[in-house]
Amino acid sequence: MSTLVSTALVDQVRAAVASVDDPEYPDVSIADLGLVESIDVEAGPDGPVAVVGLIPTFSGCPALDMIATDVERAVTALTDVHECDVRWLPGPVWSTDRLTGTARATLADDYTVVLRRKDGGLRCPVCGSDDVDVQSQAGPTRCRAVAWCAACRNPVEVMR
Amino acid sequence: MHTLATAPATGRTWIDLDDFQSFIDAGGMVEPGDDMPGEYRDEVFRFIEFHANSELMGGLTERDWIPHAPGLRLKQIFLAKTQDEIGHAHLLYMVAADMGVKTRTEMLEDLFAGRSRFHNVFHYQAVTWADQIAIAYLVDAAAFASQRAVFAECTYGPYKRVLKRIVAEEGFHMRHGEEMLLRLATGTDTQRSMFQEALDRWWWPAVQLFGPDSDPDDPLLRWKIKSQRNEDLRAAYVQKYVPLLHGYGFTIPDPELHQDDDGTWHAGPIDWEPLKATMRMGGPDSKRRIDTAARNWADTAWVREALDRRGAGT
């Protein structure tokens, strides 16, 4: 069925999904956070149906329902599909590797939230120093740990 | 592009308070390594300590309601909110402790001994689940408005960076509050009257959260920690929430509430004496809350001890 649906419509849906920001990070799109796994448009009895497959950063994240509602609203408001069906997929498992450069830059520059480097090291998003120590694995959200930069004396957070 | 991640300046000095004021007025941001005036340090420290205490006491309140939240989804939301508030307190205590006025342990011990202050709203008792919804809808919104007004200027760099994340998360809490209120407001008669009773208890504490009118020469305004006067924030809050609550068909417990010809809502006069008494730890639920928090602190002493030993390599 989906072969009958134009790729233009799929692109419309993709753009609408990407317009949704994470509720806890205004200005960071869920697409840039790597939550969007699949987008399909199928023919339905009343018109095209978008099926959006998302993966959560952490299971038990309290924002899941809100994100699904925001995606449904954006897709039905901004595209020509009749209906949007959001599904939380059991896999693949989310990791920080899924973040785009845009998300990394906004998180670091605006939120002073940083990711570990491939070698496991941390670079302070405020001053660039390596003198950053994780103080607690439990930060304000499930996806972040709390660290302290001894060089610029700022508490910063680490995506985990 | 505006960014909070710029290598902070360090070691700046100012000749006197006028020189410092010119720096602030020119949009300057103070960093921990600067030789800031003692008056600024003390005021900013006190403000952040108050904020940190409020996040901690608020988090402990949310936690009390996790077992009572009806249904898994609401339990999940209250768990997450508790983690948020405790996490915010942690970040704020780190910023405050670094200012060198009190250590984190001293701040916590002062709080648990009833020697320091926190938001008025955490001195009252939440009686039913609807009170928790009223808190999530009304109190979180007031706290959000007040924190957003601090973030708007905020001349102390580390505090501003932490506030960016806190404000984003409080915005998320507000959406949860709106969602939960909608459920009660469109629910059964019992649910609606439960919320009305909770509103009767929480309307005034929420409005009073902004505090009495700001002093004409409030140093926090002068040094641009706060960007708006307390009375202006309070008026904007009343203007926003009166029509929303009326829209849901609820009654605001203020017989003198009235509307101007231009549509502006005005709350009746506020007697600040009860609030002042409450802030001196005389609120109806102050003692129980502080005792619970102090007991938590005592019960977890062994964890801190174990961590200290690990840190010392023994």
Side-chain angles (χ1 to χ4, degrees), chain B residues 135-158:
Chain B
I135 293 167
Y137 183 72
L138 291 172
V139 172
D140 282 9
F144 176 70
S146 131
Q147 288 161 7
R148 204 178 35 185
V150 175
F151 174 73
E153 298 261 16
C154 195
T155 49
Y156 191 56

Side-chain angles (χ1 to χ4, degrees), chain B residues 227-248:
Chain B
S227 67
Q228 286 185 61
R229 308 182 64 79
N230 293 351
E231 60 271 31
D232 295 339
L233 285 168
R234 193 187 328 122
Y237 180 84
V238 167
Q239 182 57 25
K240 179 173 176 193
Y241 281 90
V242 167
L244 284 172
L245 289 162
H246 281 170
Y248 287 120

Side-chain angles (χ1 to χ4, degrees), chain A residues 57-117:
Chain A
T57 54
F58 276 75
S59 64
C61 167
L64 301 189
D65 283 355
M66 215 176 264
I67 293 171
T69 308
D70 288 350
V71 167
E72 280 161 17
R73 275 193 202 139
V75 170
T76 47
L78 303 174
T79 74
D80 299 325
V81 303
H82 178 72
E83 204 183 308
C84 177
D85 179 10
V86 176
R87 295 176 191 169
W88 287 103
L89 307 176
V93 172
W94 181 89
S95 83
T96 51
D97 293 341
R98 294 177 66 103
L99 269 81
T100 64
T102 310
R104 285 163 202 256
T106 312
L107 287 173
D109 294 347
D110 278 3
Y111 288 92
T112 55
V113 169
V114 74
L115 273 71
R116 276 192 188 281
R117 288 192 307 250

Side-chain angles (χ1 to χ4, degrees), chain A residues 23-24 26 60 62-63 65-66 70 108-113 125-126 135-136 139-141 144 146 148 153-155 157, chain B residues 1-8 32 73 76 80 83-84 90-91 94-95 98 158 161-162 164-165 168-169 172 175-176:
Chain A
E24 287 202 293
D65 283 355
M66 215 176 264
D70 288 350
D109 294 347
D110 278 3
Y111 288 92
T112 55
V113 169
V126 180
Q135 307 272 310
S136 166
T141 74
R144 299 203 308 259
V146 173
W148 177 253
R153 293 157 59 187
N154 275 275
E157 290 182 68
Chain B
M1 189 187 139
H2 168 76
T3 168
L4 290 175
T6 40
R73 207 175 89 74
Q76 203 177 40
Q83 180 169 8
D84 276 0
H90 185 190
L91 293 165
M94 286 166 89
V95 172
D98 178 67
R161 295 181 189 101
V162 167
K164 169 77 185 183
R165 302 193 290 272
E169 280 157 23
F172 172 63
R175 279 190 64 181
H176 277 310

